[in-house]
Amino acid sequence: MVNEVAERLLDKADASGVALLGEGGLLTEITKAVLERALEAEMSEHLGYERGDLAGHGSGNSGNGTSPKTVLTDAGAIALAVPRDRNGDFEPRLVPKNARRLAGFNDRILSLYARGMSVRDIRSHLAQIYGVEVSPDLVSKVTDAVVDELVSWQNRPLDAVWPIIYIDALWVKIRSGSVTSKPVYVAVGVDMDGRKDVLGLWVGSEGEGEGATTWMAVLSELRNRGVEDVCIVARDGLKGLPDAITATWPKATVQTCVIHLTRASLRLSSARDHPKLVPALKAIHAAPTEQAAEQALDNLEVSDLGQRYPAIVRTWRSAWPEFTPHLAFPPAIRTVVYSTNMVESINSRLRKATRNRGHFPSEQAALKVLYLAVREQINPKTRDANHVAAHWKEALNQFSLFFEDRLSIQ
């Protein structure tokens, strides 16, 4: 039915040469008609009788014409005729007094902001697509409205036990006198249902490094918010992190992300050698035992590829202590730990949002964009799409056996 209505609207627009959006646009006019009809219905409910009904005579209140009002909607700026009553106590719910934009319009601004668009870009986009001119202050007020939500999200309580937590860092440019690059630490957890959840975002200081002290502050916050134990903490070679992990969760297994090791290796080599290099690396990370993996690394070292790219072998050997734990895991756990697409999709969205902006005027501005990107990526309405693996239950059973009684399955 909805599709049929949409088709009729498009056919009508094509036949008459009328635009869909903007002043005089078909959708704009339809939205105006629907809103004004709804406002009339609200007025009838308020008065207790329909307009023109004789029952209203002598009731003590009646309609008193309309007042013009322009509101911003997803269909553009719409000039409405808002009904009034003689007593002046009519309070529209659909378009409240003093409101100049509907909720959906705010959501559109936040969605554009979450994609890394600057205030100037958002204003230009709204003007081009919807024919709406908005001020920089309006965009700032809409985005500032999420600050309290961000603070609440950053301090929310977390589950006590997590099968996996991935920890990564991305760099963003922030103006602090001059524009400098600062790390933003990201923790993504996999819960007992096999769904991903961004546990927090933390902005570090320029040039502070990634020592154990820095990581202790981040991990201590997670523990203070309720995380008592983690089976596996996967990380991207971040300095000082292993010591902080074992100090915070003594039983946790520290695992270097295999995907990151592989990508680092590919960056150190020519693209023409990738078809040969990828199978050689797979022989290492997919080996059945640590001994077999070490033999595969030795074979790579003495091969033509190893001689041509000694830095690749050195990268794997330096990461060996934190790479090998996953070789002892059962197959289902290996698959989940290795397959980091779930966290990579989040990191990709975050990097895209920050890359589009160039630099941010403050740390809070950077966190607003990153939080909105997270909120859009992990939407409660699409939680089923956030599964880590198709066979998570099999993996969870192997987690329960491998890590014994550490998983408290509710």
Side-chain angles (χ1 to χ4, degrees), residues 6 8-31 74-77 127-131:
R8 287 199 296 271
L9 288 175
L10 291 172
D11 290 342
K12 183 176 180 181
D14 289 340
S16 60
V18 176
L20 284 176
L21 298 174
E23 185 176 357
L26 189 59
L27 287 181
T28 305
E29 292 302 312
I30 290 174
T31 303
D74 286 348
Q128 181 179 0
I129 302 301
Y130 301 108

Side-chain angles (χ1 to χ4, degrees), residues 144-153:
D144 285 344
V146 305
V147 172
D148 290 342
E149 183 182 331
L150 167 62
V151 172
S152 177
W153 176 80

Side-chain angles (χ1 to χ4, degrees), residues 34-97:
V34 170
L35 289 175
E36 290 184 344
R37 183 171 180 177
L39 287 169
E40 287 290 347
E42 284 193 44
M43 175 60 82
S44 296
E45 180 184 358
H46 172 70
L47 296 175
Y49 60 88
E50 299 290 335
R51 184 171 61 175
D53 192 334
L54 295 178
H57 291 179
S59 64
N61 195 11
S62 61
N64 189 30
T66 62
S67 296
K69 180 175 185 175
T70 299
V71 295
L72 302 179
T73 74
D74 286 348
I78 295 179
L80 296 176
V82 180
R84 300 176 303 192
D85 65 331
R86 293 195 178 280
N87 290 346
D89 54 9
F90 173 52
E91 296 282 351
R93 297 186 299 273
L94 181 62
V95 185
K97 289 183 177 179

